[in-house]
Amino acid sequence: MTDILSKYKNTHFTELPTPAFIINEDKFNLNCQAMLKSVNDLRLKTGKNILFRPHVKTHKTGQGTVRQLGHGVINHYERNTGSILVSTFSEARGILDYQESFGEKYVDDIAFSIPVCIPQYMTRLANTANRVKTLRVFVDNEEHLNNLVEYGRLPGDKKWSLFVKLDMGTHRAGVVTESSEFQSLLKKILSKDVKEVAELYGFYAHCGHSYHASSASQAYQYFEDELKAVNNAAKKVVDMDESLLAKSLVLSVGATPTTTAVLHAKPDLTEYIRNELIGTLEVHCGNYCLYDLQQVSTGCVAPKNVAGFVLGSVLSSYPTRAEMLTDTGVLALSRETSTIAGFGYCINPDEILNDKFTSKGEWYVDRLSQEHGILKPHAEVNCPNLLKLGSKVTILPQHACITMAQFSYYFIVNKKGTVVDVWTPFQKW
Ligand SMILES: Cc1ncc(COP(=O)(O)O)c(C=O)c1O
């Protein structure tokens, strides 16, 4: 997107064509730094080696990924991860291409965060594995194992590396540790046929339903649930095969609400990690580099921490119903919701880059259709000022990941609001 960059470099974001997605580089970097430091703190508090694996699905870019891994945001001697999660082949391929274009090895370990071991994807998985030191795949079904056995080892005679995905109650992907399916899955993983082509790396828990938490302490409870579930799973497998070294099992936990809540960690869990956890802890999360209103609704972060927003324009206004029309419809904001009313908060463009703003603005997005957005004043705002047609509005979205997936590029702005870069996401599958 160099042509977009050369066209708009140094332009103030309020002069950009709309709808557009803007990333405040400072806030993005700070969010990455805070999470890395929080994991480092947990390491220090527990005296344990704790791994960190960011998910790249929110922005799907090379530039965002390297920051999540700490490049340019923390001291190089504190940087200790090259592990990421992806949810599409496009993300994996794009990020590997990105690092190769610089001759760098930022990423050396990719885990595919959806169980995709079906025949259609096996060759693509093997091709991805061929380009990175380690690829890890999720399994939650015996058929995944049959497919791996059928495919055989990876090129270079490497074995597949398996994360068993646990269902934490979200009832999306994963197996419940107390189920008979879990027992049979473990038994099969330990069978001769499977061991010939694959080895167990660890257990993976992601409380997607932690997005419904309404306070940091509630979100923290989910972190505890994740920890106990992976530990329990590890104990079960070690009971089944005593030759397995518990310490070598990686127990991966996290989601943005739960890991953000760790920033306020209580000492009792530190004790649990130090004394009870039988494997090596890995923390994973993704959305935290941007945050959004869904995260604000969990009580773990403030609106001022949100690093990305949608820029729109006022297209018309309706004084009798005190509403305005914008070009930020579903295609610019998504139809995601949370306990925060509407589909986005309009923060004053003069305030949105400020890292201290507290006001939620006068307007919010009340209704959407494909291209139309309807702004309404918050209930407590008397006599709202209708904006002049053509005015720019800046909207904090409900869900950054899905909102951003609708933009072909993002404008990166500095503290003053001028465009310093353009990032292109690796979209689709
Ligand atoms: C399996 C899995 N792991 C990790 C993540 C990252 O979660 P979050 O963005 O809440 O940090 C996601 C996000 O959807 C996910 O689906």
Side-chain angles (χ1 to χ4, degrees):
M1 285 293 157
T2 34
D3 48 339
I4 302 283
L5 179 60
S6 49
K7 190 161 170 194
Y8 294 108
K9 194 160 184 175
N10 298 325
T11 303
H12 193 265
F13 76 87
T14 51
E15 304 296 319
L16 293 170
T18 62
F21 195 89
I22 318 288
I23 295 178
N24 178 332
E25 189 175 27
D26 255 35
K27 289 192 186 184
F28 187 99
N29 288 351
L30 279 172
N31 290 341
C32 291
Q33 185 188 65
M35 191 56 76
L36 287 160
K37 284 195 175 300
S38 150
V39 176
N40 265 340
D41 284 351
L42 203 58
R43 257 180 219 127
L44 292 174
K45 271 192 212 157
T46 58
K48 292 278 186 180
N49 174 29
I50 298 176
L51 312 172
F52 182 61
R53 181 185 296 274
H55 204 311
V56 307
K57 68 185 294 183
T58 307
H59 51 82
K60 302 169 183 276
T61 64
Q63 295 92 330
T65 301
V66 296
R67 285 164 170 78
Q68 285 183 289
L69 296 173
H71 298 270
V73 303
I74 55 168
N75 291 326
H76 70 276
Y77 54 82
E78 287 180 308
R79 260 196 332 256
N80 46 29
T81 179
S83 303
I84 61 167
L85 282 156
V86 297
S87 42
T88 63
F89 287 100
S90 173
E91 289 163 13
R93 190 176 54 243
I95 285 154
L96 292 171
D97 288 347
Y98 177 83
Q99 68 176 8
E100 274 173 31
S101 73
F102 291 99
E104 293 285 355
K105 287 232 164 68
Y106 303 116
V107 173
D108 59 8
D109 182 326
I110 298 182
F112 210 106
S113 71
I114 304 177
V116 286
C117 294
I118 59 167
Q120 181 201 329
Y121 290 132
M122 294 309 296
T123 307
R124 293 174 82 182
L125 282 170
N127 291 343
T128 309
N130 217 9
R131 295 188 60 192
V132 63
K133 191 168 154 220
T134 314
L135 176 80
R136 312 205 188 269
V137 291
F138 279 27
V139 291
D140 67 359
N141 190 306
E142 287 186 55
E143 269 195 60
H144 294 140
L145 302 172
N146 293 340
N147 293 332
L148 290 166
V149 171
E150 173 89 357
Y151 189 87
R153 288 192 187 189
L154 285 162
D157 210 29
K158 279 202 288 189
K159 289 189 184 180
W160 296 86
S161 174
L162 312 180
F163 254 135
V164 174
K165 174 77 165 50
L166 305 182
D167 180 359
M168 293 300 305
T170 308
H171 303 328
R172 195 174 59 175
V175 267
V176 175
T177 46
E178 304 311 323
S179 65
S180 57
E181 289 90 341
F182 182 68
Q183 288 291 335
S184 337
L185 190 71
L186 290 188
K187 218 163 136 200
K188 196 165 177 89
I189 287 174
L190 300 173
S191 70
K192 192 164 164 287
D193 281 2
V194 174
K195 273 184 163 173
E196 187 53 37
V197 298
E199 60 199 1
L200 179 64
Y201 181 61
F203 294 94
Y204 187 99
H206 167 71
C207 273
H209 52 295
S210 62
Y211 278 54
H212 302 306
S214 54
S215 64
S217 59
Q218 220 178 72
Y220 194 73
Q221 185 64 50
Y222 287 115
F223 186 74
E224 188 168 351
D225 293 348
E226 290 172 336
L227 273 180
K228 293 192 169 158
V230 286
N231 204 30
N232 190 14
K235 284 181 180 161
K236 284 185 195 285
V237 77
V238 170
D239 280 350
M240 286 170 90
D241 180 353
E242 284 172 3
S243 71
L244 269 178
L245 201 59
K247 254 210 305 224
S248 69
L249 288 172
V250 169
L251 308 181
S252 194
V253 299
T256 288
T258 66
T259 51
T260 300
V262 171
L263 294 166
H264 321 278
K266 289 183 283 185
D268 53 341
L269 225 42
T270 312
E271 288 302 311
Y272 183 82
I273 295 169
R274 188 188 294 133
N275 302 324
E276 309 278 335
L277 213 63
I278 65 166
T280 301
L281 180 61
E282 176 181 272
V283 172
H284 61 248
C285 48
N287 175 285
Y288 69 93
C289 52
L290 266 304
Y291 290 126
D292 50 32
L293 291 185
Q294 288 186 348
Q295 301 297 338
V296 172
S297 79
T298 67
C300 296
V301 287
K304 68 181 166 77
N305 300 114
V306 179
F309 57 90
V310 172
L311 181 74
S313 296
V314 175
L315 303 178
S316 193
S317 61
Y318 311 96
T320 47
R321 53 181 157 104
E323 289 183 345
M324 298 191 290
L325 182 73
T326 64
D327 54 2
T328 55
V330 177
L331 294 184
L333 286 170
S334 83
R335 216 180 259 291
E336 290 282 296
T337 55
S338 70
T339 53
I340 292 175
F343 301 97
Y345 272 4
C346 301
I347 307 296
N348 183 336
D350 296 336
E351 272 192 279
I352 200 152
L353 298 176
N354 189 317
D355 57 8
K356 295 196 181 63
F357 80 81
T358 49
S359 136
K360 61 181 187 183
E362 288 198 322
W363 299 86
Y364 71 100
V365 184
D366 178 52
R367 304 185 306 279
L368 295 169
S369 44
Q370 190 169 353
E371 292 85 10
H372 303 71
I374 310 287
L375 305 189
K376 223 176 150 64
H378 289 292
E380 65 277 18
V381 179
N382 295 317
C383 307
N385 291 317
L386 289 169
L387 301 176
K388 198 169 151 21
L389 305 199
S391 301
K392 295 288 171 53
V393 287
T394 48
I395 304 171
L396 298 186
Q398 282 282 8
H399 192 168
C401 316
I402 298 177
T403 299
M404 292 172 77
Q406 301 180 89
F407 289 88
S408 326
Y409 48 83
Y410 320 129
F411 290 103
I412 313 303
V413 301
N414 64 12
K415 271 197 176 82
K416 292 188 181 142
T418 55
V419 174
V420 292
D421 205 356
V422 169
W423 296 355
T424 311
F426 309 120
Q427 290 183 316
K428 312 293 177 197
W429 270 80

